[in-house]
Amino acid sequence: MWRVVMSEEVGKKLRAVVDRVNQAVARRPKTLPCIAPRLVAVSKTKPPEMVLEAYKHGQRNFGENYVNELVEKASHPQIVSSCPDVKWHFIGHLQKNNVNKLLGVPNLYMVETIDSVKLAEKVNSSWQKLRAVNTHQLKIMVQINTSGEESKHGLPPDETVNTVKHIISQCPALDFAGLMTIGRYGYDLSEGPNPDFQMLLKCRDEVCESLNVPVDQVELSMGMSTDFEHAIEVGSTNVRVGSTIFGTREYPNTPSPSPEKKQKVVCEEAARRMDRLTVTEQ
């Protein structure tokens, strides 16, 4: 019974997200490159069974944040046997000592989080050695820290062009697919377009102009469960959606917030809303 319910629930939520993606595409200005957005279902902390169910309902691109978890899921016997066309995206921070482990993942499709020249060079050399029998390049994206937050990984925007230039000219095993950002969490869209997304658009324009690359050949990975529709409307070609498809993540050994803390959060959010209403009325 649990499996039937899970299958129906995952399928229902996945179809709803796909519908929302298509509706956002319809609202996108005609001036933007005509690139159909890729939906990456973020399955971190979720069991392999949920990946199998989403795959059965037509989903092919899946994202993972942690190397060990990706290795385990990609090597799961049922996924290996039942999901031959699965495409794995690595979307978490990649440390150089984990590169070889990551690149050994079967059906690894893209690494979205290259955030330095040194990391790009490591991935390039490792891919050449590990996949010497293959001639295809590994798709990668360059991660940009558009919000400037110290807690976020990624290149400063002003280093984008030189980094991409180095990858294209010096890393023959890598296929530069585009730019990626996480952006500041909880941005209020009532205040206007997300500035992090606008910054990534600017970075793409600078890359294309400086390196003479067509705009429609540089993807933008931006937008998650809370803002993927807005991201698509302003030009995202790759959205990473997890909890909206698979449900709220449950992290082991993480204590639930106390009732006092929950009440504090509610009060703080109510105060912020009241402040915004007051400003609007003025």
Side-chain angles (χ1 to χ4, degrees), residues 142-174:
V142 173
Q143 182 177 358
I144 311 300
N145 186 349
T146 53
S147 63
E149 296 172 276
E150 293 185 3
S151 60
K152 297 285 195 304
H153 295 285
L155 288 167
D158 60 4
E159 295 182 19
T160 305
V161 172
N162 287 338
T163 301
V164 172
K165 182 178 180 180
H166 182 90
I167 291 172
I168 292 175
S169 62
Q170 303 297 323
C171 299
L174 306 184

Side-chain angles (χ1 to χ4, degrees), residues 96-112:
K96 290 193 283 292
N97 62 336
N98 281 328
V99 167
N100 288 346
K101 183 185 292 187
L102 173 64
L103 299 192
V105 167
N107 286 2
L108 179 64
Y109 180 73
M110 183 184 291
V111 178
E112 296 194 20

Side-chain angles (χ1 to χ4, degrees), residues 157-158 160-161 201-212:
D158 60 4
T160 305
V161 172
L201 287 163
K202 180 182 177 182
C203 288
R204 180 175 66 177
D205 289 343
E206 291 174 350
V207 166
C208 293
E209 182 178 352
S210 299
L211 305 182
N212 195 28

Side-chain angles (χ1 to χ4, degrees), residues 184-253:
R184 191 180 302 274
Y185 177 76
Y187 176 75
D188 185 353
L189 291 176
S190 68
E191 298 179 5
N194 189 319
D196 291 318
F197 297 168
Q198 296 302 307
M199 176 59 73
L200 200 67
L201 287 163
K202 180 182 177 182
C203 288
R204 180 175 66 177
D205 289 343
E206 291 174 350
V207 166
C208 293
E209 182 178 352
S210 299
L211 305 182
N212 195 28
V213 179
V215 174
D216 59 4
Q217 291 183 17
V218 180
E219 292 196 43
L220 297 178
S221 179
M222 56 189 192
M224 296 184 285
S225 284
T226 58
D227 55 12
F228 70 89
E229 290 162 298
H230 171 65
I232 291 172
E233 289 171 10
V234 298
S236 179
T237 65
N238 190 87
V239 291
R240 309 176 301 272
V241 181
S243 57
T244 305
I245 296 172
F246 297 114
T248 304
R249 298 187 183 98
E250 297 179 2
Y251 295 92
N253 303 321

Side-chain angles (χ1 to χ4, degrees), residues 57-121:
H57 288 282
Q59 181 63 25
R60 292 296 180 266
N61 292 276
F62 293 86
E64 288 288 337
N65 288 64
Y66 305 109
V67 173
N68 288 340
E69 188 174 358
L70 175 52
V71 170
E72 290 177 6
K73 283 181 185 168
S75 303
H76 190 278
Q78 284 185 283
I79 291 179
V80 171
S81 62
S82 304
C83 308
D85 299 323
V86 67
K87 297 178 179 179
W88 292 107
H89 294 238
F90 185 71
I91 59 175
H93 178 58
L94 178 60
Q95 297 178 323
K96 290 193 283 292
N97 62 336
N98 281 328
V99 167
N100 288 346
K101 183 185 292 187
L102 173 64
L103 299 192
V105 167
N107 286 2
L108 179 64
Y109 180 73
M110 183 184 291
V111 178
E112 296 194 20
T113 50
I114 299 298
D115 60 4
S116 71
V117 166
K118 289 185 177 180
L119 180 59
E121 291 176 340

